[in-house]
Amino acid sequence: MANATVCIVEDDEATREAIRGLLLDEGYKVIEASNGAEGQRMMEASSERLIVVLDYRLPVLDGCDLLDIVAHDDDLRARHSFVMMSASPRQTVEDCEEALDELVVPLLPKPFHIDELVEAVRQAEERLRLDPA
């Protein structure tokens, strides 16, 4: 899956810009959403499979709620792969544990090292490669 597309769903603009720059440098195409509902619309509208880098705390629709929607939507579940970021990893696990486990979503505690993010995105890309929709 050369030049996979990553959808960054993050409400903090500076964080989104930093992640975008990093992933562009790694050869990924990048699209962005500033809240969970916008991320959901992008996933539903996308004609390609996406690697979704998702923040836990988001306006409109938070990361856990978005993962719950995906877990109950066979199409979204089959087409996309996820990485979740959180400044509150314990709370994220408490709130999202079932969806994280069911969808095999790694959790990156903020702050994270850029290599950790790149590796998590590569692993999400590999999951898409191994599980053809």
Side-chain angles (χ1 to χ4, degrees):
M1 178 177 283
N3 298 320
T5 299
V6 178
C7 178
I8 304 167
V9 185
E10 166 64 67
D11 60 319
D12 182 75
E13 187 175 350
T15 301
R16 223 175 35 247
E17 286 177 6
I19 293 170
R20 177 182 61 230
L22 171 67
L23 294 175
L24 288 171
D25 286 348
E26 291 292 322
Y28 292 97
K29 294 182 276 185
V30 176
I31 58 176
E32 301 172 46
S34 61
N35 65 62
E38 188 180 333
Q40 179 185 0
R41 284 191 296 276
M42 292 176 122
M43 286 188 296
E44 290 170 344
S46 178
S47 61
E48 61 187 314
R49 301 178 84 190
L50 300 173
I51 300 161
V52 181
V53 176
L54 176 65
D55 192 29
Y56 166 58
R57 294 205 189 272
L58 293 166
V60 185
L61 180 68
D62 76 21
C64 285
D65 291 338
L66 183 53
L67 287 180
D68 284 339
I69 289 167
V70 170
H72 293 94
D73 184 313
D74 291 338
D75 181 54
L76 292 178
R77 181 185 186 125
R79 290 192 308 135
H80 307 302
S81 187
F82 300 86
V83 174
M84 182 168 262
M85 310 174 290
S86 177
S88 307
R90 284 191 195 136
Q91 187 66 49
T92 304
V93 169
E94 285 178 25
D95 291 350
C96 313
E97 185 171 20
E98 189 174 317
L100 291 170
D101 290 345
E102 190 174 331
L103 298 171
V104 191
V105 179
L107 176 61
L108 289 179
K110 289 180 179 177
F112 47 80
H113 190 276
I114 60 173
D115 291 341
E116 293 173 306
L117 176 63
V118 170
E119 182 58 28
V121 169
R122 284 192 182 129
Q123 289 175 6
E125 184 179 14
E126 188 65 20
R127 285 193 301 278
L128 288 180
R129 208 182 265 129
L130 295 174
D131 186 21

